[in-house]
Amino acid sequence: HAGGPTSVAWGSVRLKQTKRASYKKPGNSSPCGVAMPNKAHIGVKALPAEYCEAGRVIAKQRKFIAKNLNVTRKRHFKYYPGVNVRVLKNTSLLAGVSGRIKMTHDVKRDVMIMNVLAEPREELLRDELWRYRTEHIASVEENKLLCHLRCKALHVFGKESGWINPPKGIKPMRVRISKGHDKWNNPQVQDPLEIEPYSYPMPRGVLARHLRKVRRRQAGVPDSENDPDFHSTDPNFHLFKGQSAQR
């Protein structure tokens, strides 16, 4: 209300005011701006055993680096190029072929070397992870020989048993365009969960059915007559046990 004793009384009351705007935001900035627009996102962009397409930056680096003490993000040293890896102007590393990352350590120079083992995209099994572990070398020639020995096969000729679960269909466009809708390079594919047989309590009816089936099995009833449609565990668990769905 404009004027009057009531408004004078309300105006004399001092209420608590809180600051809702930013403390360091300039006057001409938008409320949805990027926090650090000039931040240097440097470091390793593709980890060992990760599949990368040709032309992908696997390690972004600065041309000049400062050796700061007590750093924890490992940005104070260079990653050196190895087999099937190219170098950009700012010393960043680029994958020359499509394959999986293999890192080696040169014990004489005390540097880390990034290599790309050329292979087509296939499912990565846990039994094949030993190929991509970081190993020690003493020279560039030894690094080339080690990468040749760790390759699954010459991808030109292929493997005798065939590639495991390769992606089907036509290869989509670049990841920048088809991100999130790309079966060939989809980071959302997770490993299958290895659930324990009885990790969760069963409902009353399911538990009674499970106990009835166990007691009939102990009594010698064949499986074909002992409630064959009921399974307390996944019957196909043996097919994907110990394997991962990473591509």
Side-chain angles (χ1 to χ4, degrees):
H1 302 282
T6 308
S7 62
V8 174
W10 277 109
S12 62
V13 177
R14 187 176 180 181
L15 300 177
K16 182 179 179 181
Q17 296 180 354
T18 58
K19 185 175 176 59
R20 288 177 290 180
S22 175
Y23 285 90
K24 295 182 180 180
K25 185 181 297 184
N28 59 353
S29 64
S30 62
C32 300
V34 184
M36 300 178 66
N38 298 325
K39 182 178 180 182
H41 300 275
I42 64 175
V44 178
K45 302 301 179 183
L47 298 177
E50 181 178 348
Y51 193 90
C52 61
E53 297 286 345
R56 175 183 171 184
V57 177
I58 59 178
K60 187 178 180 181
Q61 304 178 129
R62 291 194 182 104
K63 192 169 185 179
F64 303 101
I65 57 176
K67 291 191 175 182
N68 302 324
L69 298 177
N70 302 323
V71 292
T72 57
R73 296 188 62 185
K74 294 186 177 180
R75 297 190 295 182
H76 59 290
F77 63 89
K78 297 276 190 180
Y79 288 93
Y80 280 59
V83 180
N84 299 325
V85 176
R86 295 188 297 168
V87 187
L88 301 180
K89 279 195 302 184
N90 60 348
T91 68
S92 296
L93 303 183
L94 191 78
V97 298
S98 297
R100 297 193 183 274
I101 303 296
K102 163 79 173 179
M103 299 183 68
T104 54
H105 176 246
D106 194 332
V107 294
K108 291 186 177 180
R109 295 185 294 170
D110 193 18
V111 295
M112 295 294 294
I113 303 176
M114 296 192 71
N115 312 277
V116 179
L117 304 184
E119 63 180 72
R121 185 185 295 273
E122 68 162 352
E123 185 175 350
L124 179 61
L125 303 182
R126 187 173 297 179
D127 299 337
E128 299 288 345
L129 289 177
W130 62 273
R131 299 179 182 274
Y132 312 103
R133 291 172 181 165
T134 303
E135 301 183 61
H136 300 284
I137 58 164
S139 62
V140 179
E141 290 75 12
E142 186 176 352
N143 181 52
K144 293 181 180 179
L145 177 61
L146 180 65
C147 293
H148 178 73
L149 295 176
R150 293 297 178 264
C151 286
K152 296 179 182 178
L154 294 176
H155 64 282
V156 179
F157 301 102
K159 292 196 302 184
E160 296 181 357
S161 57
W163 302 104
I164 302 174
N165 193 16
K168 300 178 181 179
I170 304 175
K171 184 176 180 180
M173 304 178 70
R174 300 188 63 179
V175 180
R176 184 180 299 177
I177 303 174
S178 61
K179 185 176 182 181
H181 308 281
D182 186 356
K183 296 181 180 179
W184 291 69
N185 190 12
N186 188 3
Q188 305 299 329
V189 178
Q190 301 178 356
D191 296 343
L193 299 177
E194 295 188 3
I195 303 177
E196 296 296 328
Y198 313 109
S199 56
Y200 300 100
M202 297 182 182
R204 182 181 182 89
V206 178
L207 180 61
R209 190 175 179 183
H210 171 65
L211 294 177
R212 191 184 313 115
K213 184 173 182 178
V214 171
R215 289 169 180 170
R216 293 190 63 186
R217 185 191 307 133
Q218 294 173 351
V221 179
D223 295 338
S224 58
E225 302 177 2
N226 188 9
D227 200 358
D229 298 332
F230 175 77
H231 300 281
S232 58
T233 59
D234 192 350
N236 298 324
F237 179 72
H238 65 283
L239 299 178
F240 56 84
K241 182 181 179 181
Q243 301 181 0
S244 65
Q246 180 183 356
R247 295 185 181 179

